[in-house]
Amino acid sequence: MSNAKRALQTEDLTKIEVFSDPQLSPDGNFYSYVSTKANDKDDYNSQLFVQSLNGDTPVQWTFGDVKNSNLRYSPDGKKAVFQSTRSGLPQLWLLPTEGGEARQLTTFKNGASNPTWSKDGKFIFFHASLDKDDDIQNQKEASKEERQKEQEDKKKQPLIVNRLKYKSDSSGFHDNKRVQLISLNLESNTFTQLTNNDADHGFQDVSPDGKQVLFAANLNENADYELSNDLFLLDLQSKEYKKLTDGNGGYHSASFSPSGDKVVSFGDEYEYAGATLTEIYVFDLASGERTCLSKSWDMQLGDLMIGDTRMGQSETGPVWSKDESSLFFIATDYGATGLYKVSLNKELTTLYKEDNHVFGFSYDQDKEAFVLGISSATNPCDFYYLKNDGTLTKLTKSNDAFLNEVAIAEPETLSVKAEDGKEIQGWLLKPYGFTEGKKYPFVLEIHGGPHAMYGQTFFFEMQLLAAKGYVVLYTNPRGSHGYGQEFVDACRSDYGGGDYKDLMTAVDYVLENYSFIDEDRLGVTGGSYGGFMTNWIVGHTNRFKAAVTQRSISNWLSFYGVSDIGFFFNKWEHGLNLLDDPAKLWEISPLRYAENVETPLLILHGELDFRCPVEQGEQLFITLKHLRKEVEFVRFPGANHELSRSGKPAMRQERLNHICRWFEEYL
């Protein structure tokens, strides 16, 4: 590694530009995208850009300290609808693509989101959160002052809870509002509420003839106790529903074929609970027959790559070809994601896969070409044009100035054989200014999930630790996606068993094969499930001299009742609920082994984390402190489970500074 470039610093987090949501124009001559970057108000701005496919410099379409996203072109390409917070809440705006000012389309009290055009360009369909008796023709967005007053008034009232699913990490405490589907007639400027069930509805697609809408929801009487998500066809004239699925699984990312005769969807039937591989299903609307195209692949569909510099949503498929003979999608496989094609006769073709992270795509049906969003271990993101002959052309230079200034470590890919013969993939980063013959401290990073994947994507936290002088190891132990159904299922009912051994085997491997690692200065850190594993590790071995546990789990008994997913997660991952076998849940809780902890432990936790609530960190801290162990607890106000990925920029930097401080002190 050349030292001509400077070392990465925590403050560099705010300099990175993050791309998402590429959208090709109907004529295929240019595309739009979303660029997100931290601003000077401790928040993020998201702006819309458009670029010609001849490689010209991208042109910025939106400005200001606001979030703009979800741009969708009209079928004729003359207009585009997008989502913006410029009025306060996310609302829909209409923009002439040849120039001119954007016009506000919605003023819904709780905002409007996720717009989609009808194929004739006369209607826009979208989501809106509504109370049961809301009049959609007379919606008025509350002012900032009115919203603040409403929030203050809420704080003065007790929260009445009568649902099992009464909170979520992304939304906080739920109210009685439900996400409904709305259509806007652009000619008459009138709104029509398409759904009114006591359920959240996820718009999927509108049929080519404009007569049906496809949506996902759970409309069962016992929906509060279920995790299924069915697909429904809504006839726009009769308002009658037709259920396409059988209530035994979860379905999403569905769309009509170009003829309207078929529907494709991602989904699974929870055969392995939360570790079940996603499949591609095609529904024949005339016969009602459902066909699974992917049953024999043993590959996870969609993008399951973990990173800390991805913001915004992007298409991962499945997307129809123009002649509806094939489908395109992203899949997660062996530390990377790629773009794939499958024909309706189940023939699978890899269109693009390298050692990197394809995080989104847009498909040109006429030219059979793609715009790909790609991140790598040494580049946060850029867009590329993939022609049907396989030619790949780089379109953007998003972070070139940053990358030309800062040294970024290139990972070395490892393959380690576990005790039972399983192959464990991992990556090793050398420290900034690496010198042969010198010994360096070491940090093991453990991902969350556990059913997710580390891999060939840009990870700021890893790079920062390498810049601070640490050798960094990150691996995919059993339970991770990317290595088939058996592998991802292998940690269920065995937390702290084979997964723990995989991690320790990987550490043993690098100590034996890389002489520049100082075996007396080993550190470990991880978040969520990775936080659980960090807690487990320090309770079962003293080989690490410092540990940082982030948004962790320490006690499965209390987790069952306090997490937004605890009531089903324990059953899914451990095979039992709280009352089934409390002794077993206590046996696999890191808190039980607190007396064994000799490793100095830093506990980082967001105070509004509803996924792994802060009481999990509190229990661990109080127990260790009471035992006079070396422990410190850092609480992040206003932060939820997504602190490291999409939290406030200042809080994200503070978190990184605490991690570096702790390892510097003890390693």
Side-chain angles (χ1 to χ4, degrees), residues 470 545-546 600 630 632 659-667:
Y470 300 96
K545 300 303 182 241
E630 191 68 32
E632 186 177 308
I659 294 171
C660 293
R661 169 183 65 85
W662 194 258
F663 285 139
E664 182 179 357
E665 181 176 352
Y666 290 99
L667 297 183

Side-chain angles (χ1 to χ4, degrees), residues 511-566:
L511 290 177
E512 291 169 7
N513 290 276
Y514 297 90
S515 59
F516 51 79
I517 298 174
D518 187 342
E519 63 182 16
D520 293 323
R521 291 191 291 165
L522 306 182
V524 59
T525 186
S528 197
Y529 162 84
F532 155 81
M533 186 54 69
T534 300
N535 297 341
W536 185 264
I537 285 171
V538 297
H540 287 77
T541 178
N542 294 326
R543 72 188 305 186
F544 294 92
K545 300 303 182 241
V548 181
T549 184
Q550 308 173 48
R551 57 191 186 280
S552 71
I553 300 162
S554 65
N555 184 351
W556 291 111
L557 285 88
S558 62
F559 179 85
Y560 167 84
V562 297
S563 169
D564 63 342
I565 63 172

Side-chain angles (χ1 to χ4, degrees), residues 155-210:
K155 293 177 182 178
K156 299 175 185 178
Q157 299 295 325
L159 177 69
I160 301 173
V161 177
N162 49 35
R163 291 186 349 201
L164 185 61
K165 303 172 188 172
Y166 76 95
K167 62 181 180 180
S168 62
D169 186 66
S170 59
S171 304
F173 293 117
H174 298 173
D175 50 27
N176 292 322
K177 298 180 183 65
R178 293 295 199 171
V179 177
Q180 305 291 355
L181 306 186
I182 312 293
S183 68
L184 167 61
N185 185 321
L186 290 171
E187 294 178 349
S188 63
N189 197 36
T190 55
F191 297 99
T192 302
Q193 184 171 338
L194 305 178
T195 59
N196 58 10
N197 303 289
D198 184 19
D200 291 322
H201 304 75
F203 178 86
Q204 304 292 300
D205 198 11
V206 58
S207 62
D209 62 9

Side-chain angles (χ1 to χ4, degrees), residues 450-451 478-479 487-495 499 529 573:
H451 310 307
R478 68 193 65 203
F487 192 91
V488 73
D489 189 52
C491 75
R492 290 176 62 230
S493 299
D494 189 37
Y495 275 36
D499 48 1
Y529 162 84
E573 293 298 301

Side-chain angles (χ1 to χ4, degrees), residues 67-84:
K67 295 180 176 67
N68 301 289
S69 63
N70 292 81
L71 183 141
R72 298 295 181 266
Y73 292 103
S74 61
D76 62 9
K78 295 181 179 180
K79 300 180 289 294
V81 63
F82 66 99
Q83 182 179 315
S84 179

